[in-house]
Amino acid sequence: MSKIEKAVRTLSDLGLTEYEARCFVALTRISTGTAREVSEVADVPRSRVYDTIERLERKGLVSVQQSNPRQYQAVSVDAACERLRDDYSSRIDAAENALQQVDRPDTVANEGMWSISRSEYVTDRVVTFLDDAADSIHLLVAADEVIGDRVRHHLRDAVDRDVNVFVEVPSDEHRDEFEDALPGATVVTAPDLGTTNSVYGEFPAKLLLVDGESVVATGIKERDPPDVVRETAVWTYGRDHGFAVWTRELLDNRIEGGTADRETDRANARDGDR
């Protein structure tokens, strides 16, 4: 795709029609132009240039000189981007306002397993559950690269709301990092998290249980390229859903059966250093 076609496609994605995008890009390539010149550069029928330029003028993207023939000039790229940004934001605000007026069910269905295949959407789901937490958060971290600043921020917010936050990490080094980032949370070392195995090219990444019912289980694909993290997930928010029930049972057992042992090991290690 040429640079011109890429610019046209990008402007179309921002809400301009194809003719509007082509005429505006054409005018950025020439200082000023008549309808005939714009038509030739933009590859838009001359009969359509007039109404297209009118719309661009109303949007504040083109200036018109009342000469004979009329001359057209695009505003600066910075000014155009600022006006497109304002227009885009206004559209989002209008959409949000309209959607808020739509009737929604009083309760959310609590059954079903859902999958997420893009890393940014995985984080969105995790953050949503963290923000909804009222009582407890239990987080297992097998791959610390999937816990970015955004997740840490919302975990801190949960601690500040007096939510009981319990985090398991694979090493003492990770424990120290999380304790520094999450004062008030309980952070323990769980060495078994550092010895997970690949299943069909994917490794366990994190497991989140919120209030004993909302679950997110994620994995990361083997890195190719190495600096790209590709995280996928499944999630549910049903207390009585089988996946949530099993997850709650297994994680409760980890707390009851494993925390005391790990704390004893840490105490013994400290005594041995004296």
Side-chain angles (χ1 to χ4, degrees), residues 7-45:
V8 170
R9 175 72 61 83
T10 302
L11 289 172
S12 297
D13 290 343
L14 290 173
L16 296 188
T17 67
E18 182 178 352
Y19 280 175
E20 288 172 349
R22 289 192 178 280
C23 286
F24 181 79
V25 171
L27 283 169
T28 64
R29 299 171 60 198
I30 56 179
S31 56
T32 61
T34 63
R36 179 180 61 81
E37 291 167 334
V38 171
S39 173
E40 292 173 351
V41 176
D43 193 23
V44 171

PDB file of all heavy atoms in Angstrom, residues 7-45:
ATOM      1  N   ALA A   7      -2.634   6.978   3.920  1.00  0.00           N
ATOM      2  CA  ALA A   7      -3.200   8.198   4.507  1.00  0.00           C
ATOM      3  C   ALA A   7      -4.710   8.246   4.277  1.00  0.00           C
ATOM      4  O   ALA A   7      -5.481   8.599   5.182  1.00  0.00           O
ATOM      5  CB  ALA A   7      -2.521   9.430   3.915  1.00  0.00           C
ATOM      6  N   VAL A   8      -5.134   7.876   3.082  1.00  0.00           N
ATOM      7  CA  VAL A   8      -6.574   7.867   2.775  1.00  0.00           C
ATOM      8  C   VAL A   8      -7.300   6.870   3.659  1.00  0.00           C
ATOM      9  O   VAL A   8      -8.361   7.163   4.226  1.00  0.00           O
ATOM     10  CB  VAL A   8      -6.806   7.536   1.283  1.00  0.00           C
ATOM     11  CG1 VAL A   8      -8.286   7.273   1.009  1.00  0.00           C
ATOM     12  CG2 VAL A   8      -6.304   8.675   0.398  1.00  0.00           C
ATOM     13  N   ARG A   9      -6.728   5.674   3.802  1.00  0.00           N
ATOM     14  CA  ARG A   9      -7.355   4.635   4.627  1.00  0.00           C
ATOM     15  C   ARG A   9      -7.453   5.089   6.086  1.00  0.00           C
ATOM     16  O   ARG A   9      -8.488   4.879   6.739  1.00  0.00           O
ATOM     17  CB  ARG A   9      -6.516   3.356   4.531  1.00  0.00           C
ATOM     18  CG  ARG A   9      -6.983   2.210   5.443  1.00  0.00           C
ATOM     19  CD  ARG A   9      -8.257   1.603   4.947  1.00  0.00           C
ATOM     20  NE  ARG A   9      -8.098   1.038   3.625  1.00  0.00           N
ATOM     21  CZ  ARG A   9      -7.595  -0.188   3.400  1.00  0.00           C
ATOM     22  NH1 ARG A   9      -7.208  -0.948   4.409  1.00  0.00           N
ATOM     23  NH2 ARG A   9      -7.505  -0.643   2.170  1.00  0.00           N
ATOM     24  N   THR A  10      -6.408   5.716   6.583  1.00  0.00           N
ATOM     25  CA  THR A  10      -6.411   6.164   7.978  1.00  0.00           C
ATOM     26  C   THR A  10      -7.481   7.228   8.210  1.00  0.00           C
ATOM     27  O   THR A  10      -8.211   7.184   9.206  1.00  0.00           O
ATOM     28  CB  THR A  10      -5.029   6.735   8.354  1.00  0.00           C
ATOM     29  OG1 THR A  10      -4.031   5.738   8.146  1.00  0.00           O
ATOM     30  CG2 THR A  10      -5.006   7.158   9.819  1.00  0.00           C
ATOM     31  N   LEU A  11      -7.585   8.185   7.299  1.00  0.00           N
ATOM     32  CA  LEU A  11      -8.614   9.222   7.437  1.00  0.00           C
ATOM     33  C   LEU A  11     -10.017   8.631   7.328  1.00  0.00           C
ATOM     34  O   LEU A  11     -10.940   9.062   8.028  1.00  0.00           O
ATOM     35  CB  LEU A  11      -8.414  10.298   6.368  1.00  0.00           C
ATOM     36  CG  LEU A  11      -7.182  11.205   6.552  1.00  0.00           C
ATOM     37  CD1 LEU A  11      -6.983  12.083   5.327  1.00  0.00           C
ATOM     38  CD2 LEU A  11      -7.317  12.055   7.809  1.00  0.00           C
ATOM     39  N   SER A  12     -10.179   7.639   6.474  1.00  0.00           N
ATOM     40  CA  SER A  12     -11.479   6.976   6.357  1.00  0.00           C
ATOM     41  C   SER A  12     -11.834   6.274   7.659  1.00  0.00           C
ATOM     42  O   SER A  12     -12.997   6.274   8.084  1.00  0.00           O
ATOM     43  CB  SER A  12     -11.456   5.967   5.200  1.00  0.00           C
ATOM     44  OG  SER A  12     -11.248   6.624   3.961  1.00  0.00           O
ATOM     45  N   ASP A  13     -10.826   5.683   8.311  1.00  0.00           N
ATOM     46  CA  ASP A  13     -11.065   5.025   9.600  1.00  0.00           C
ATOM     47  C   ASP A  13     -11.500   6.020  10.665  1.00  0.00           C
ATOM     48  O   ASP A  13     -12.167   5.649  11.638  1.00  0.00           O
ATOM     49  CB  ASP A  13      -9.801   4.294  10.072  1.00  0.00           C
ATOM     50  CG  ASP A  13      -9.489   3.062   9.229  1.00  0.00           C
ATOM     51  OD1 ASP A  13     -10.400   2.588   8.509  1.00  0.00           O
ATOM     52  OD2 ASP A  13      -8.338   2.588   9.280  1.00  0.00           O
ATOM     53  N   LEU A  14     -11.122   7.289  10.485  1.00  0.00           N
ATOM     54  CA  LEU A  14     -11.486   8.321  11.456  1.00  0.00           C
ATOM     55  C   LEU A  14     -12.822   8.988  11.145  1.00  0.00           C
ATOM     56  O   LEU A  14     -13.217   9.920  11.833  1.00  0.00           O
ATOM     57  CB  LEU A  14     -10.391   9.385  11.522  1.00  0.00           C
ATOM     58  CG  LEU A  14      -9.071   8.946  12.166  1.00  0.00           C
ATOM     59  CD1 LEU A  14      -8.020  10.039  12.025  1.00  0.00           C
ATOM     60  CD2 LEU A  14      -9.288   8.599  13.634  1.00  0.00           C
ATOM     61  N   GLY A  15     -13.506   8.506  10.112  1.00  0.00           N
ATOM     62  CA  GLY A  15     -14.854   9.008   9.875  1.00  0.00           C
ATOM     63  C   GLY A  15     -15.061   9.789   8.596  1.00  0.00           C
ATOM     64  O   GLY A  15     -16.197  10.136   8.262  1.00  0.00           O
ATOM     65  N   LEU A  16     -13.983  10.101   7.849  1.00  0.00           N
ATOM     66  CA  LEU A  16     -14.170  10.785   6.571  1.00  0.00           C
ATOM     67  C   LEU A  16     -14.627   9.779   5.518  1.00  0.00           C
ATOM     68  O   LEU A  16     -14.276   8.600   5.576  1.00  0.00           O
ATOM     69  CB  LEU A  16     -12.855  11.431   6.107  1.00  0.00           C
ATOM     70  CG  LEU A  16     -12.256  12.545   6.971  1.00  0.00           C
ATOM     71  CD1 LEU A  16     -11.077  13.172   6.251  1.00  0.00           C
ATOM     72  CD2 LEU A  16     -13.288  13.600   7.319  1.00  0.00           C
ATOM     73  N   THR A  17     -15.411  10.241   4.570  1.00  0.00           N
ATOM     74  CA  THR A  17     -15.751   9.382   3.441  1.00  0.00           C
ATOM     75  C   THR A  17     -14.504   9.210   2.574  1.00  0.00           C
ATOM     76  O   THR A  17     -13.519   9.962   2.707  1.00  0.00           O
ATOM     77  CB  THR A  17     -16.866   9.990   2.592  1.00  0.00           C
ATOM     78  OG1 THR A  17     -16.377  11.186   1.955  1.00  0.00           O
ATOM     79  CG2 THR A  17     -18.083  10.327   3.442  1.00  0.00           C
ATOM     80  N   GLU A  18     -14.545   8.252   1.662  1.00  0.00           N
ATOM     81  CA  GLU A  18     -13.364   8.036   0.813  1.00  0.00           C
ATOM     82  C   GLU A  18     -13.070   9.269  -0.037  1.00  0.00           C
ATOM     83  O   GLU A  18     -11.909   9.679  -0.175  1.00  0.00           O
ATOM     84  CB  GLU A  18     -13.565   6.816  -0.092  1.00  0.00           C
ATOM     85  CG  GLU A  18     -12.335   6.533  -0.945  1.00  0.00           C
ATOM     86  CD  GLU A  18     -12.470   5.307  -1.817  1.00  0.00           C
ATOM     87  OE1 GLU A  18     -13.467   4.578  -1.664  1.00  0.00           O
ATOM     88  OE2 GLU A  18     -11.582   5.087  -2.661  1.00  0.00           O
ATOM     89  N   TYR A  19     -14.110   9.894  -0.587  1.00  0.00           N
ATOM     90  CA  TYR A  19     -13.887  11.091  -1.391  1.00  0.00           C
ATOM     91  C   TYR A  19     -13.323  12.228  -0.541  1.00  0.00           C
ATOM     92  O   TYR A  19     -12.442  12.975  -0.978  1.00  0.00           O
ATOM     93  CB  TYR A  19     -15.191  11.527  -2.063  1.00  0.00           C
ATOM     94  CG  TYR A  19     -15.545  10.727  -3.313  1.00  0.00           C
ATOM     95  CD1 TYR A  19     -16.747  10.936  -3.972  1.00  0.00           C
ATOM     96  CD2 TYR A  19     -14.664   9.775  -3.829  1.00  0.00           C
ATOM     97  CE1 TYR A  19     -17.082  10.214  -5.120  1.00  0.00           C
ATOM     98  CE2 TYR A  19     -14.980   9.048  -4.966  1.00  0.00           C
ATOM     99  CZ  TYR A  19     -16.200   9.257  -5.611  1.00  0.00           C
ATOM    100  OH  TYR A  19     -16.520   8.549  -6.743  1.00  0.00           O
ATOM    101  N   GLU A  20     -13.848  12.393   0.666  1.00  0.00           N
ATOM    102  CA  GLU A  20     -13.329  13.436   1.559  1.00  0.00           C
ATOM    103  C   GLU A  20     -11.856  13.186   1.860  1.00  0.00           C
ATOM    104  O   GLU A  20     -11.030  14.111   1.832  1.00  0.00           O
ATOM    105  CB  GLU A  20     -14.134  13.471   2.851  1.00  0.00           C
ATOM    106  CG  GLU A  20     -15.533  14.044   2.697  1.00  0.00           C
ATOM    107  CD  GLU A  20     -16.372  13.881   3.949  1.00  0.00           C
ATOM    108  OE1 GLU A  20     -15.954  13.150   4.874  1.00  0.00           O
ATOM    109  OE2 GLU A  20     -17.466  14.487   3.999  1.00  0.00           O
ATOM    110  N   ALA A  21     -11.525  11.953   2.163  1.00  0.00           N
ATOM    111  CA  ALA A  21     -10.138  11.617   2.480  1.00  0.00           C
ATOM    112  C   ALA A  21      -9.234  11.864   1.278  1.00  0.00           C
ATOM    113  O   ALA A  21      -8.138  12.421   1.408  1.00  0.00           O
ATOM    114  CB  ALA A  21     -10.052  10.168   2.938  1.00  0.00           C
ATOM    115  N   ARG A  22      -9.697  11.458   0.082  1.00  0.00           N
ATOM    116  CA  ARG A  22      -8.864  11.629  -1.116  1.00  0.00           C
ATOM    117  C   ARG A  22      -8.672  13.111  -1.457  1.00  0.00           C
ATOM    118  O   ARG A  22      -7.565  13.536  -1.823  1.00  0.00           O
ATOM    119  CB  ARG A  22      -9.489  10.892  -2.296  1.00  0.00           C
ATOM    120  CG  ARG A  22      -9.394   9.369  -2.168  1.00  0.00           C
ATOM    121  CD  ARG A  22      -9.756   8.646  -3.453  1.00  0.00           C
ATOM    122  NE  ARG A  22      -9.589   7.207  -3.265  1.00  0.00           N
ATOM    123  CZ  ARG A  22      -8.421   6.566  -3.313  1.00  0.00           C
ATOM    124  NH1 ARG A  22      -7.318   7.258  -3.548  1.00  0.00           N
ATOM    125  NH2 ARG A  22      -8.356   5.269  -3.144  1.00  0.00           N
ATOM    126  N   CYS A  23      -9.725  13.896  -1.334  1.00  0.00           N
ATOM    127  CA  CYS A  23      -9.603  15.326  -1.628  1.00  0.00           C
ATOM    128  C   CYS A  23      -8.695  16.023  -0.624  1.00  0.00           C
ATOM    129  O   CYS A  23      -7.876  16.882  -0.993  1.00  0.00           O
ATOM    130  CB  CYS A  23     -10.978  15.986  -1.645  1.00  0.00           C
ATOM    131  SG  CYS A  23     -11.968  15.588  -3.107  1.00  0.00           S
ATOM    132  N   PHE A  24      -8.826  15.652   0.664  1.00  0.00           N
ATOM    133  CA  PHE A  24      -7.977  16.304   1.662  1.00  0.00           C
ATOM    134  C   PHE A  24      -6.512  15.930   1.439  1.00  0.00           C
ATOM    135  O   PHE A  24      -5.625  16.790   1.493  1.00  0.00           O
ATOM    136  CB  PHE A  24      -8.412  15.920   3.071  1.00  0.00           C
ATOM    137  CG  PHE A  24      -7.586  16.588   4.137  1.00  0.00           C
ATOM    138  CD1 PHE A  24      -7.830  17.908   4.481  1.00  0.00           C
ATOM    139  CD2 PHE A  24      -6.541  15.928   4.757  1.00  0.00           C
ATOM    140  CE1 PHE A  24      -7.056  18.560   5.428  1.00  0.00           C
ATOM    141  CE2 PHE A  24      -5.754  16.562   5.706  1.00  0.00           C
ATOM    142  CZ  PHE A  24      -6.013  17.885   6.047  1.00  0.00           C
ATOM    143  N   VAL A  25      -6.234  14.653   1.209  1.00  0.00           N
ATOM    144  CA  VAL A  25      -4.848  14.231   0.958  1.00  0.00           C
ATOM    145  C   VAL A  25      -4.299  14.924  -0.281  1.00  0.00           C
ATOM    146  O   VAL A  25      -3.145  15.362  -0.301  1.00  0.00           O
ATOM    147  CB  VAL A  25      -4.765  12.696   0.815  1.00  0.00           C
ATOM    148  CG1 VAL A  25      -3.377  12.276   0.344  1.00  0.00           C
ATOM    149  CG2 VAL A  25      -5.093  12.019   2.135  1.00  0.00           C
ATOM    150  N   ALA A  26      -5.132  15.058  -1.301  1.00  0.00           N
ATOM    151  CA  ALA A  26      -4.687  15.743  -2.516  1.00  0.00           C
ATOM    152  C   ALA A  26      -4.293  17.181  -2.213  1.00  0.00           C
ATOM    153  O   ALA A  26      -3.269  17.685  -2.699  1.00  0.00           O
ATOM    154  CB  ALA A  26      -5.796  15.698  -3.578  1.00  0.00           C
ATOM    155  N   LEU A  27      -5.111  17.864  -1.395  1.00  0.00           N
ATOM    156  CA  LEU A  27      -4.826  19.265  -1.079  1.00  0.00           C
ATOM    157  C   LEU A  27      -3.598  19.420  -0.190  1.00  0.00           C
ATOM    158  O   LEU A  27      -2.999  20.497  -0.162  1.00  0.00           O
ATOM    159  CB  LEU A  27      -6.051  19.905  -0.422  1.00  0.00           C
ATOM    160  CG  LEU A  27      -7.183  20.266  -1.390  1.00  0.00           C
ATOM    161  CD1 LEU A  27      -8.447  20.642  -0.635  1.00  0.00           C
ATOM    162  CD2 LEU A  27      -6.746  21.391  -2.318  1.00  0.00           C
ATOM    163  N   THR A  28      -3.230  18.382   0.561  1.00  0.00           N
ATOM    164  CA  THR A  28      -1.983  18.469   1.346  1.00  0.00           C
ATOM    165  C   THR A  28      -0.764  18.327   0.445  1.00  0.00           C
ATOM    166  O   THR A  28       0.348  18.668   0.849  1.00  0.00           O
ATOM    167  CB  THR A  28      -1.938  17.384   2.438  1.00  0.00           C
ATOM    168  OG1 THR A  28      -1.910  16.090   1.829  1.00  0.00           O
ATOM    169  CG2 THR A  28      -3.113  17.486   3.395  1.00  0.00           C
ATOM    170  N   ARG A  29      -0.979  17.822  -0.775  1.00  0.00           N
ATOM    171  CA  ARG A  29       0.136  17.618  -1.700  1.00  0.00           C
ATOM    172  C   ARG A  29       0.374  18.823  -2.597  1.00  0.00           C
ATOM    173  O   ARG A  29       1.411  18.909  -3.269  1.00  0.00           O
ATOM    174  CB  ARG A  29      -0.134  16.378  -2.551  1.00  0.00           C
ATOM    175  CG  ARG A  29      -0.274  15.100  -1.742  1.00  0.00           C
ATOM    176  CD  ARG A  29      -0.749  13.943  -2.609  1.00  0.00           C
ATOM    177  NE  ARG A  29       0.185  13.673  -3.695  1.00  0.00           N
ATOM    178  CZ  ARG A  29      -0.120  12.976  -4.794  1.00  0.00           C
ATOM    179  NH1 ARG A  29      -1.358  12.528  -4.960  1.00  0.00           N
ATOM    180  NH2 ARG A  29       0.785  12.761  -5.718  1.00  0.00           N
ATOM    181  N   ILE A  30      -0.586  19.744  -2.678  1.00  0.00           N
ATOM    182  CA  ILE A  30      -0.445  20.960  -3.485  1.00  0.00           C
ATOM    183  C   ILE A  30      -0.765  22.158  -2.596  1.00  0.00           C
ATOM    184  O   ILE A  30      -1.528  22.041  -1.641  1.00  0.00           O
ATOM    185  CB  ILE A  30      -1.369  20.935  -4.722  1.00  0.00           C
ATOM    186  CG1 ILE A  30      -2.829  20.715  -4.305  1.00  0.00           C
ATOM    187  CG2 ILE A  30      -0.926  19.825  -5.677  1.00  0.00           C
ATOM    188  CD1 ILE A  30      -3.812  20.695  -5.479  1.00  0.00           C
ATOM    189  N   SER A  31      -0.188  23.298  -2.898  1.00  0.00           N
ATOM    190  CA  SER A  31      -0.403  24.479  -2.038  1.00  0.00           C
ATOM    191  C   SER A  31      -1.850  24.930  -2.095  1.00  0.00           C
ATOM    192  O   SER A  31      -2.503  25.119  -1.067  1.00  0.00           O
ATOM    193  CB  SER A  31       0.535  25.618  -2.453  1.00  0.00           C
ATOM    194  OG  SER A  31       0.347  25.918  -3.829  1.00  0.00           O
ATOM    195  N   THR A  32      -2.368  25.135  -3.279  1.00  0.00           N
ATOM    196  CA  THR A  32      -3.794  25.436  -3.497  1.00  0.00           C
ATOM    197  C   THR A  32      -4.210  24.730  -4.776  1.00  0.00           C
ATOM    198  O   THR A  32      -3.359  24.334  -5.594  1.00  0.00           O
ATOM    199  CB  THR A  32      -4.066  26.953  -3.644  1.00  0.00           C
ATOM    200  OG1 THR A  32      -3.341  27.435  -4.782  1.00  0.00           O
ATOM    201  CG2 THR A  32      -3.678  27.704  -2.389  1.00  0.00           C
ATOM    202  N   GLY A  33      -5.523  24.583  -4.961  1.00  0.00           N
ATOM    203  CA  GLY A  33      -5.977  23.913  -6.168  1.00  0.00           C
ATOM    204  C   GLY A  33      -7.405  24.234  -6.497  1.00  0.00           C
ATOM    205  O   GLY A  33      -8.223  24.503  -5.607  1.00  0.00           O
ATOM    206  N   THR A  34      -7.719  24.206  -7.781  1.00  0.00           N
ATOM    207  CA  THR A  34      -9.088  24.360  -8.239  1.00  0.00           C
ATOM    208  C   THR A  34      -9.766  22.987  -8.201  1.00  0.00           C
ATOM    209  O   THR A  34      -9.120  21.959  -7.948  1.00  0.00           O
ATOM    210  CB  THR A  34      -9.116  24.893  -9.675  1.00  0.00           C
ATOM    211  OG1 THR A  34      -8.486  23.928 -10.540  1.00  0.00           O
ATOM    212  CG2 THR A  34      -8.383  26.214  -9.780  1.00  0.00           C
ATOM    213  N   ALA A  35     -11.056  22.979  -8.459  1.00  0.00           N
ATOM    214  CA  ALA A  35     -11.778  21.708  -8.477  1.00  0.00           C
ATOM    215  C   ALA A  35     -11.177  20.763  -9.514  1.00  0.00           C
ATOM    216  O   ALA A  35     -11.062  19.554  -9.286  1.00  0.00           O
ATOM    217  CB  ALA A  35     -13.259  21.958  -8.768  1.00  0.00           C
ATOM    218  N   ARG A  36     -10.790  21.299 -10.675  1.00  0.00           N
ATOM    219  CA  ARG A  36     -10.194  20.460 -11.710  1.00  0.00           C
ATOM    220  C   ARG A  36      -8.881  19.863 -11.235  1.00  0.00           C
ATOM    221  O   ARG A  36      -8.632  18.658 -11.413  1.00  0.00           O
ATOM    222  CB  ARG A  36      -9.963  21.281 -12.979  1.00  0.00           C
ATOM    223  CG  ARG A  36      -9.309  20.476 -14.106  1.00  0.00           C
ATOM    224  CD  ARG A  36      -9.111  21.349 -15.347  1.00  0.00           C
ATOM    225  NE  ARG A  36      -8.252  22.475 -15.062  1.00  0.00           N
ATOM    226  CZ  ARG A  36      -6.911  22.412 -15.022  1.00  0.00           C
ATOM    227  NH1 ARG A  36      -6.300  21.250 -15.214  1.00  0.00           N
ATOM    228  NH2 ARG A  36      -6.198  23.490 -14.773  1.00  0.00           N
ATOM    229  N   GLU A  37      -8.049  20.692 -10.585  1.00  0.00           N
ATOM    230  CA  GLU A  37      -6.750  20.198 -10.116  1.00  0.00           C
ATOM    231  C   GLU A  37      -6.919  19.172  -8.999  1.00  0.00           C
ATOM    232  O   GLU A  37      -6.216  18.154  -8.957  1.00  0.00           O
ATOM    233  CB  GLU A  37      -5.895  21.384  -9.647  1.00  0.00           C
ATOM    234  CG  GLU A  37      -5.462  22.285 -10.793  1.00  0.00           C
ATOM    235  CD  GLU A  37      -4.892  23.602 -10.314  1.00  0.00           C
ATOM    236  OE1 GLU A  37      -5.246  24.052  -9.193  1.00  0.00           O
ATOM    237  OE2 GLU A  37      -4.091  24.192 -11.057  1.00  0.00           O
ATOM    238  N   VAL A  38      -7.851  19.446  -8.087  1.00  0.00           N
ATOM    239  CA  VAL A  38      -8.104  18.486  -7.012  1.00  0.00           C
ATOM    240  C   VAL A  38      -8.598  17.172  -7.598  1.00  0.00           C
ATOM    241  O   VAL A  38      -8.179  16.087  -7.182  1.00  0.00           O
ATOM    242  CB  VAL A  38      -9.128  19.049  -6.002  1.00  0.00           C
ATOM    243  CG1 VAL A  38      -9.546  17.967  -5.008  1.00  0.00           C
ATOM    244  CG2 VAL A  38      -8.550  20.252  -5.269  1.00  0.00           C
ATOM    245  N   SER A  39      -9.480  17.250  -8.587  1.00  0.00           N
ATOM    246  CA  SER A  39     -10.013  16.049  -9.223  1.00  0.00           C
ATOM    247  C   SER A  39      -8.901  15.213  -9.833  1.00  0.00           C
ATOM    248  O   SER A  39      -8.866  13.983  -9.688  1.00  0.00           O
ATOM    249  CB  SER A  39     -11.026  16.428 -10.307  1.00  0.00           C
ATOM    250  OG  SER A  39     -11.431  15.291 -11.036  1.00  0.00           O
ATOM    251  N   GLU A  40      -7.961  15.879 -10.476  1.00  0.00           N
ATOM    252  CA  GLU A  40      -6.869  15.154 -11.133  1.00  0.00           C
ATOM    253  C   GLU A  40      -5.932  14.506 -10.122  1.00  0.00           C
ATOM    254  O   GLU A  40      -5.514  13.356 -10.295  1.00  0.00           O
ATOM    255  CB  GLU A  40      -6.082  16.119 -12.031  1.00  0.00           C
ATOM    256  CG  GLU A  40      -6.873  16.599 -13.245  1.00  0.00           C
ATOM    257  CD  GLU A  40      -6.140  17.675 -14.019  1.00  0.00           C
ATOM    258  OE1 GLU A  40      -5.099  18.162 -13.516  1.00  0.00           O
ATOM    259  OE2 GLU A  40      -6.618  18.057 -15.120  1.00  0.00           O
ATOM    260  N   VAL A  41      -5.603  15.232  -9.055  1.00  0.00           N
ATOM    261  CA  VAL A  41      -4.662  14.699  -8.066  1.00  0.00           C
ATOM    262  C   VAL A  41      -5.317  13.634  -7.198  1.00  0.00           C
ATOM    263  O   VAL A  41      -4.705  12.615  -6.843  1.00  0.00           O
ATOM    264  CB  VAL A  41      -4.106  15.836  -7.178  1.00  0.00           C
ATOM    265  CG1 VAL A  41      -3.194  15.276  -6.082  1.00  0.00           C
ATOM    266  CG2 VAL A  41      -3.339  16.836  -8.041  1.00  0.00           C
ATOM    267  N   ALA A  42      -6.587  13.869  -6.848  1.00  0.00           N
ATOM    268  CA  ALA A  42      -7.273  12.958  -5.918  1.00  0.00           C
ATOM    269  C   ALA A  42      -7.892  11.755  -6.616  1.00  0.00           C
ATOM    270  O   ALA A  42      -8.284  10.797  -5.949  1.00  0.00           O
ATOM    271  CB  ALA A  42      -8.363  13.715  -5.161  1.00  0.00           C
ATOM    272  N   ASP A  43      -8.002  11.813  -7.957  1.00  0.00           N
ATOM    273  CA  ASP A  43      -8.685  10.754  -8.712  1.00  0.00           C
ATOM    274  C   ASP A  43     -10.136  10.631  -8.245  1.00  0.00           C
ATOM    275  O   ASP A  43     -10.646   9.539  -7.985  1.00  0.00           O
ATOM    276  CB  ASP A  43      -7.948   9.420  -8.563  1.00  0.00           C
ATOM    277  CG  ASP A  43      -8.438   8.391  -9.585  1.00  0.00           C
ATOM    278  OD1 ASP A  43      -8.977   8.811 -10.623  1.00  0.00           O
ATOM    279  OD2 ASP A  43      -8.293   7.179  -9.316  1.00  0.00           O
ATOM    280  N   VAL A  44     -10.785  11.805  -8.108  1.00  0.00           N
ATOM    281  CA  VAL A  44     -12.197  11.891  -7.732  1.00  0.00           C
ATOM    282  C   VAL A  44     -12.922  12.612  -8.863  1.00  0.00           C
ATOM    283  O   VAL A  44     -12.418  13.623  -9.377  1.00  0.00           O
ATOM    284  CB  VAL A  44     -12.370  12.675  -6.405  1.00  0.00           C
ATOM    285  CG1 VAL A  44     -13.834  12.962  -6.132  1.00  0.00           C
ATOM    286  CG2 VAL A  44     -11.748  11.902  -5.257  1.00  0.00           C
ATOM    287  N   PRO A  45     -14.089  12.154  -9.294  1.00  0.00           N
ATOM    288  CA  PRO A  45     -14.816  12.837 -10.372  1.00  0.00           C
ATOM    289  C   PRO A  45     -15.009  14.321 -10.047  1.00  0.00           C
ATOM    290  O   PRO A  45     -15.355  14.673  -8.909  1.00  0.00           O
ATOM    291  CB  PRO A  45     -16.160  12.101 -10.419  1.00  0.00           C
ATOM    292  CG  PRO A  45     -15.867  10.742  -9.863  1.00  0.00           C
ATOM    293  CD  PRO A  45     -14.820  10.956  -8.821  1.00  0.00           C
TER     294      PRO A  45
END
